[in-house]
Each structure stands twice: as C-alpha cells, then as structure tokens.
Amino acid sequence: MQNSLFANVAELPRDPILGLTEAFVADKNPGRVNLGVGVYQDESGKTPLLACVRLAEENLLAKAAPHSYVPIDGLGGFNSAITRMVFADSADFAHVATAQALGGTGALKLGAELLKVISPGAKIWISDPSWENHRALFSAAGFAVETYPYYGADGELDFSGLIAALEKIPAGDVVLLHACCHNPTGLDLSQEQWRRIAKIVRKRGLTPFLDTAYLGFAKGLDADAFSVRLFAEDGRPVLVSFSFSKSMSLYGERVGALSVLTASSAERGRVLSQLKRIARVTYSSPPSHGAAAAALVLADPALRTQWVDELARMRLRIKAMRTALAANLSERLPNRDFSYITRQNGMFSYSRLTAPQAIALREKYAVYALDSGRICVAALNGKNIDFVSECIAKVMTEV
Ligand code: LMR
C-alpha cells in the first residue's frame, strides 16, 4: 500500500485550556470538578441560560424569521449596539468600524488579520503571563509575539516592570492589554495606572489592542470599559475585541465583535472593507441567532435592565466564592495569607499552585486546574468549595 498522505503528520499537544476540558469529560470520577476553562456556573453547578436571553430567544422564535445570510460584517443593529456600549461617548461612532465576530477569539483573529494587512512587520506584545490563546493566535497569524512583565515574583502586579518594558517597545508595535479581569492572573490596573500606560502608548506611537472578553465581571459594564474609553478619547487608533460568551452566557453561540477606532469616516470605510474581506475568505459571514438575541437584549430597555442585573448577580456570586475560598484555605493553612484571592478580579484566581501541585490536584483528586495554577472561581459553589479547598490545601502542603 502507498504511504498515506498523513503518515508523517505531527501530533500536536492538546490545547492547554480546552484540552483540559476534554480530559475532564473523559474522567470517570463522579466527584470531578472542572476549574480549568473560564465558564461561569451558577450555585447548582450549571452554566446558566440567562432569563433575558431566554425571553429574547422566545421573541425571535415567535417571529419565525427565515435563516437568511446575515451581512458579511454581521448584524447592523448588533454592531451599533456594541459600539455604543463599549465606547459610550468617548468616540465618534462614524469613525468606528465594528464587525460581528465568532466570539472573543474570532474578534482577536479578525484584528490579527487586519494588522497583518496594515502592519505586517509589527511585533505583538502580550503580558507575561497572558491567556494561552493570545500567543497561539497571533503566532498563527504570522506575527512575532513578545512579552512585557505583568506578574511579579511576589504574586502581585509588576507595574514598574510593565512601565519599563513599554518605554522600550519600538513605535508601530502592537500592545495587547486586558481591559479588565486579567486572564489568567485576575490582577487589574487602577485608573491611575491606565492613565500612565495610555500616556506611554501614545508617546511611543504604539497601537493598543484591548481584549474586553470579561467586561462587566470586575466592577460593572461602564467601570470596566474605562481603559477602552481612555484610549478612545484622544481619537487615536485602538482595536477592541469583545465577547458575549461570558457576560450573556452565550458561549456556544460564538457572539463577539471587533471594533476599530479610526481617524475619519473615510478610514472607517476602508478598514471595514478589509474586515469584510477577511471574514468573507474565512467563514463568509457570521451566524445570526446568538447575535440577534444579544442585539434584542441590548435594544429592549426592560431586557437590558434585566441583563445588567443578571450580570451583577454573576459578578457578586464569584466575589462571594473568592471570599469563601480564601476563608476556607486560611482555616486549613493558618500560617499562609490567602487574601490575594479576594484582591483578584473576574472569573479566575492565579492560585499560586505550582505546576506539580496542579497536576497532583488533577491526578489525585480529579480537581482540574490549569498547570499555571489558574483556577476558575466561577465554577465553585456551596457544594464543592469544601472539597476543593481541602484538596488545594493538601497539595499545597504535600507536593
Ligand atoms: C478561558 O480562558 O478559559 C476562556 O477564555 C475559554 C477559552 O476559550 O480559553
């Protein structure tokens, strides 16, 4: 028989985040807990279907609209609602090119391909550490990816390291920043720190790319959009990736957007034409259902109020779980300080588990955390928190 075309194809390692979910699903242990992926679960351990989304979906079903193609750049109402929500009055909307994207990852990909057209020689600077997929995605788009310091040896934000690195990045390079709920560390910048960063980014002629996947999970929608609006206020270019996966619990619907603030409506038109070309040759046009539901939630005042309220409840439940985890661990290991868990924002805690400890947690107790020690606090609940705390305390002392 002839050699198969695929005889020498390399086997790649599993994805560091979604691959862990694959291992979790295959695990037969009935007590298993998945603290790997960033998915919010409610107190009963389920990913919620938000009431506002359900009502919007019922409304869409009642209309029984045919499944036509949506425009290449997505639903117009969705795109303008996102633009208004993210930028508020910080930008001239006539200068903002927004295209619906396949979740936050799809938005980053649209941005990466756009940058490839505009600044092919630029380097992309991401935080050390950053979301695992940032490096992979920009490398796959053909960029050299570098890092700036973010997480200090003391487990706190290394702001002076970050500033010193920014001061050395060559003009024209792209700096990827997490608008809020830094993934994976949960350590966010203060408004004062953002102002200093924006000043340096401007002075050095760098291009800011803000990832807002967790908007609404730190303090609230407007407060969490502070950095985006700060960059937008002076009208200089900024790219913003956005996702409704977390904030509307629309994970599988792949609902996101990329917004690009340009200098004029003519520039906006040209940028949008580029985004449409990228979309057209990649997936032709985005899916409609999730974006239509999200657009309805944003457009209907009652549904929108309900959403803001449901989002606040998710945010507060995560905060309560942080407090409970820190208290539970402090009780078990009274000589250690776990207050850092309560100072972090968003779905994750950079738990300070080492890689061998995270592996032991998985292999001995079927509690799945990333090897970096990142745990999803949003997967904790009143039923599993004791068990998880007990297992973390054990590996922290035994491994
Ligand atoms: C995560 O960081 O776990 C989430 O953003 C999900 C993903 O796609 O990695």
Side-chain angles (χ1 to χ4, degrees), residues 177-182 188-189 194 210-212 215 224-225 227-228:
L177 297 151
H178 303 228
C180 63
C181 307
H182 183 267
D188 281 349
L189 297 154
W194 274 117
L210 291 159
D211 184 335
T212 70
L215 204 75
D224 293 355
S227 53
V228 176

Side-chain angles (χ1 to χ4, degrees), residues 15 17-18 36-39 105 131 133 183 213-214 246 254 348 370 374:
D15 181 79
I17 298 174
L18 299 185
V37 69
V39 172
T105 305
W131 180 46
N133 218 17
N183 180 3
Y214 292 85
K246 330 281 170 178
R254 312 310 297 137
F348 305 116
L370 300 194
R374 190 193 85 169

Side-chain angles (χ1 to χ4, degrees), residues 40 42 48-56 216-217 221 246-249 297 302-318:
Y40 177 87
D42 61 19
L49 169 61
L50 299 191
C52 60
V53 169
R54 188 172 47 75
L55 288 169
F217 279 91
L221 289 168
K246 330 281 170 178
S247 59
M248 276 199 200
S249 197
V297 169
L303 290 182
R304 193 185 178 112
T305 304
Q306 190 168 8
W307 172 51
V308 169
D309 185 54
E310 291 189 276
L311 178 56
R313 274 189 268 145
M314 289 196 277
R315 181 172 65 241
L316 293 176
R317 201 192 79 76
I318 298 173

Side-chain angles (χ1 to χ4, degrees), residues 38 82 96 108 144 165 205-206 243 296 353:
I82 297 289
V96 182
L108 287 160
L206 310 177
S243 168
L296 209 57
L353 283 164

Side-chain angles (χ1 to χ4, degrees), residues 82 86-87 96-99 107-108 111 179 208-213 215 227-229 231-232 238-243 257-261:
I82 297 289
V86 173
F87 290 95
V96 182
T98 296
L108 287 160
F209 195 148
L210 291 159
D211 184 335
T212 70
L215 204 75
S227 53
V228 176
R229 296 174 189 174
F231 278 104
V238 51
L239 286 85
V240 182
S241 58
F242 177 81
S243 168
L258 176 78
S259 288
V260 184
L261 174 60

Side-chain angles (χ1 to χ4, degrees), residues 126-129 147-151 157-166:
I126 63 172
S127 57
D128 179 17
T147 58
Y148 55 81
Y150 196 84
Y151 185 73
L157 178 72
D158 179 8
F159 188 64
S160 53
L162 161 57
I163 291 293
L166 280 185

